[in-house]
Amino acid sequence: MKRAYNFNAGPSALPLSVLERAQRELLDFQGTGMSVMELSHRSKEYDAVHNNAKQLLKELMNIPDTYDVVFLQGGASLQFSMVPMNLLGNEQIGNYVLTGSWSEKALKEAKKVGKTHVAASTKETNYTRIPATEDIQLSEQAAYLHITSNNTIFGTQWHEFPDLTVDLVADMSSDILSREVNVEQFALIYAGAQKNLGPSGVTVVILRNDLLERIPDNLPTMLDYRTYTTSNSLYNTPPTFAIYMLSLVLEWVKEQGGVKAVEQRNKEKAAVIYEAIDKSNGFYLPHAEKESRSLMNVTFNLPNDEVAKKFLGAAKERGFVGLAGHRSVGGCRASIYNAVPYEACEALAQFMDEFRKRNV
Amino acid sequence: MKRAYNFNAGPSALPLSVLERAQRELLDFQGTGMSVMELSHRSKEYDAVHNNAKQLLKELMNIPDTYDVVFLQGGASLQFSMVPMNLLGNEQIGNYVLTGSWSEKALKEAKKVGKTHVAASTKETNYTRIPATEDIQLSEQAAYLHITSNNTIFGTQWHEFPDLTVDLVADMSSDILSREVNVEQFALIYAGAQKNLGPSGVTVVILRNDLLERIPDNLPTMLDYRTYTTSNSLYNTPPTFAIYMLSLVLEWVKEQGGVKAVEQRNKEKAAVIYEAIDKSNGFYLPHAEKESRSLMNVTFNLPNDEVAKKFLGAAKERGFVGLAGHRSVGGCRASIYNAVPYEACEALAQFMDEFRKRNV
Ligand SMILES: Cc1ncc(COP(=O)(O)O)c(C=O)c1O
Ligand SMILES: Cc1ncc(COP(=O)(O)O)c(C=O)c1O
Ligand SMILES: [Mg+2]
Ligand SMILES: [Mg+2]
Ligand SMILES: [Mg+2]
Ligand SMILES: [Mg+2]
């Protein structure tokens, strides 16, 4: 079997050793005579998987005991609504920094729930950069400040988080666990699993315990964070297989040396592709400004649409998967999440060099 | 490898051939060099899986073109809220038949959304039966009548659906695809997948197209059925692996001869266990009244708690899994969904006979 060079934006590459283990165990989980998918979510075998996933995430991200970790369904998109439903009080204002399509969507859902304020936006320059902390203007009565830590579509990333006197909420869907972060800088972090954490179908939320006191009564049970914190995310049937895969991916991260080691490798992976861009004399046009570049999604364009099309066709022939930019912006994008090996990035950079030489 | 006799209530047994195929394909889906979990949800390969699941369900359940089939997350529990949010108008009343814990939970969520009415209930006899159609008293301005087609916990099942002049909504989580139903009797059907359809993590909703016109504006995007019908359930990242497993389970049902053939086998499976109960001279005490017995969840008690405990212990030793009754009712329960083979039911019935003879 030849593994594809998988640059999908999500769902995306998983570590080969994780897939191999899942395959080995698929018919008979730890001698139970059942697949992990066939276990009751109330069984002791599944409970161990569930708690292992939670414990490993706490350990790897250094999450203090003043926070809880819960597993939900519905993707990051459901969090766009759950965050304001749970945290945006009647007399308060949800503050949003707009750095791309995902923050716009988060804002759109918050507007349905309560009052909002755009604290900063880089839309007027087509989201090529992250605003400076000085450019963030909070409203009065700010319930929280929402940011998108990595902008999957535009390829920009916050490299320093704003340190303001407001609860910071971050959509970390596309860069969670890719670099060390200080969880204590955040009130709440959420992420769909399908980039750095596992397959699609489970969403991770890390939230500071005191936030629970702010949640209004009478929310739909499944949309109330307390439902998950009080039941260890077992109020109803969780997506057991997705959480099992999450536990395996987290074990893999630990084997790699933890988040610090993974971050170092991610920097090397991104560097080799950005280098191919930077030495191209403008043949490859990066979308993001240098200081705002993402280590997870490298976005670039080519001299014109025809050459871009040719590039994507040739890349596909060579076995590179997922390099087309998001349908909303076009161009090219290489998503190089934790499980994408350095070799894939190196192969892409080499291909980019060759293609440029043949097409300048 | 020895397969367990898996009587779990959900997540529950999956067909062995389905698990074997998933295992074979897990590292390399159709020569892509990727796991199905690593495919983009926007790729043509995943699209084929997604549409195949939808098409097979339409075919197997004979779903007319006036209905749509959508895939969601959040389990049946989220549908308890989505149904009233989408279908319960301001001046209307959501009508509920209470036949067990799950209908109670559905009602509880509806109360948070709007006005409700209990059209019938068998709670006063501890949910041992399904009410007769004559006992159902609809309110004025009924938005819909909600029923639980099979009561997983109490082991009762509707064998004939009420034919009233009101839109019928059914939670079919624990008996969808186990028997032939006329979809046109229903306005909306929902089911968490983890009993008859696949692993946990995907919820199927079948809804009549005209219902979409009733949906209020400004619902959270992820809680509006139109988000799913207009995007072919691809507005955001779907739980791709769970939907892939669903497609395999549906193919398996088709290979079995379709729903009619599966229903026949389910009747034989249930019969052999109910026979062990009925010939036991009251040693095994069935929870459900005879006419309301479920073909999916066989619930029974033993002469006293001590014998029941002994039974569960001995059963466990013999390799029977999941026979303890739901924590809210105690006793025993054998869940015998589609993928539980006849042989497992026969082995259980034999064991019940032996145990009885040793313990009367
Ligand atoms: C930063 C970010 N937020 C939110 C989403 C939406 O996630 P989901 O599809 O899980 O709803 C994505 C998906 O790519 C994303 O990249
Ligand atoms: C009839 C019925 N409805 C609803 C549910 C809840 O389903 P979920 O756990 O997917 O929310 C169950 C779970 O067992 C059930 O049996
Ligand atoms: Mg996407
Ligand atoms: Mg973006
Ligand atoms: Mg259950
Ligand atoms: Mg019940």
Side-chain angles (χ1 to χ4, degrees), chain B residues 75 119 250:
Chain B
L250 294 173

Side-chain angles (χ1 to χ4, degrees), chain A residues 41-42 237, chain B residues 9-10 102 195 326 333:
Chain A
H41 58 299
R42 309 280 173 210
T237 319
Chain B
W102 298 114
K195 288 105 160 63
H326 188 272
R333 168 175 60 174

Side-chain angles (χ1 to χ4, degrees), chain B residues 37 84 103 111 117 159 208-209 211 273 295 308 317:
Chain B
M37 287 178 251
S103 4
K111 280 185 173 164
H117 165 72
H159 293 297
R208 218 177 48 218
N209 296 331
L211 296 180
I273 303 177
L295 297 181
E317 242 167 62

Side-chain angles (χ1 to χ4, degrees), chain A residues 40-318:
Chain A
S40 167
H41 58 299
R42 309 280 173 210
S43 65
K44 67 175 190 318
E45 291 88 358
Y46 175 71
D47 217 48
V49 169
H50 191 88
N51 292 328
N52 188 38
K54 185 170 163 176
Q55 197 42 52
L56 280 166
L57 194 70
K58 280 185 166 178
E59 188 183 323
L60 289 165
M61 289 186 69
N62 222 337
I63 300 173
D65 282 343
T66 46
Y67 287 72
D68 206 346
V69 173
V70 293
F71 303 135
L72 299 96
Q73 298 185 61
S77 297
L78 185 59
Q79 295 311 304
F80 295 164
S81 297
M82 280 183 67
V83 164
M85 288 172 89
N86 282 268
L87 303 183
L88 180 50
N90 272 335
E91 301 306 314
Q92 293 183 304
I93 299 178
N95 278 239
Y96 284 77
V97 178
L98 301 187
T99 53
S101 321
W102 298 113
S103 3
E104 284 181 11
K105 287 198 172 176
L107 173 65
K108 183 178 156 229
E109 296 304 322
K111 280 186 174 165
K112 297 183 186 178
V113 176
K115 297 197 202 84
T116 60
H117 165 71
V118 175
S121 168
T122 53
K123 191 187 174 89
E124 78 284 0
T125 56
N126 199 20
Y127 294 129
T128 52
R129 63 182 183 86
I130 300 296
T133 298
E134 310 86 79
D135 296 339
I136 299 175
Q137 305 282 345
L138 292 178
S139 71
E140 298 286 292
Q141 308 292 344
Y144 54 78
L145 177 68
H146 180 284
I147 65 167
T148 311
S149 60
N150 182 73
N151 298 284
T152 325
I153 294 176
F154 292 97
T156 62
Q157 189 174 24
W158 292 75
H159 293 297
E160 219 173 303
F161 297 111
D163 188 12
L164 301 165
T165 55
V166 62
D167 279 329
L168 193 58
V169 170
D171 175 0
M172 287 199 187
S173 292
S174 54
D175 68 352
I176 191 168
L177 221 58
S178 70
R179 54 172 170 170
E180 291 192 299
V181 298
N182 177 4
V183 170
E184 288 182 287
Q185 282 190 271
F186 302 88
L188 188 150
I189 293 168
Y190 63 89
Q194 64 269 12
K195 287 103 159 64
N196 274 329
L197 297 178
S200 61
V202 59
T203 310
V204 169
V205 176
I206 303 163
L207 74 176
R208 216 176 51 218
N209 296 330
D210 65 272
L211 296 180
L212 301 173
E213 289 154 28
R214 285 161 59 170
I215 300 176
D217 285 329
N218 235 28
L219 284 181
T221 302
M222 295 297 290
L223 304 178
D224 186 325
Y225 288 127
R226 291 172 299 189
T227 300
Y228 301 85
T229 56
T230 57
S231 68
N232 191 25
S233 307
L234 286 163
Y235 170 77
N236 79 326
T237 319
T240 55
F241 186 76
I243 293 171
Y244 160 75
M245 289 299 298
L246 166 62
S247 77
L248 298 188
V249 169
L250 294 174
E251 282 183 10
W252 174 83
V253 171
K254 195 172 167 179
E255 283 158 26
Q256 302 300 301
V259 177
K260 200 189 183 80
V262 164
E263 175 173 7
Q264 184 50 39
R265 254 233 321 275
N266 284 336
K267 283 183 178 158
E268 289 158 17
K269 284 154 53 182
V272 66
I273 303 177
Y274 281 120
E275 201 199 315
I277 291 173
D278 289 337
K279 73 177 183 202
S280 76
N281 267 324
F283 182 79
Y284 297 113
L285 298 154
H287 179 78
E289 289 186 17
K290 221 163 196 166
E291 326 72 65
S292 296
R293 281 178 175 177
S294 168
L295 297 181
M296 294 282 102
N297 309 95
V298 181
T299 50
F300 57 94
N301 227 312
L302 283 94
N304 59 55
D305 282 359
E306 203 186 319
V307 188
K309 207 174 150 193
K310 193 173 166 192
F311 175 84
L312 288 171
K316 197 173 171 188
E317 241 167 62
R318 286 281 204 97

Side-chain angles (χ1 to χ4, degrees), chain A residues 14 23 38 109 200 221 238, chain B residues 14 23 38 109 200 219 221 238:
Chain A
L14 288 162
Q23 184 179 46
E38 300 179 298
E109 296 304 322
S200 61
T221 302
Chain B
L14 289 163
Q23 184 178 46
E38 300 179 297
E109 297 304 322
S200 61
L219 285 181
T221 302

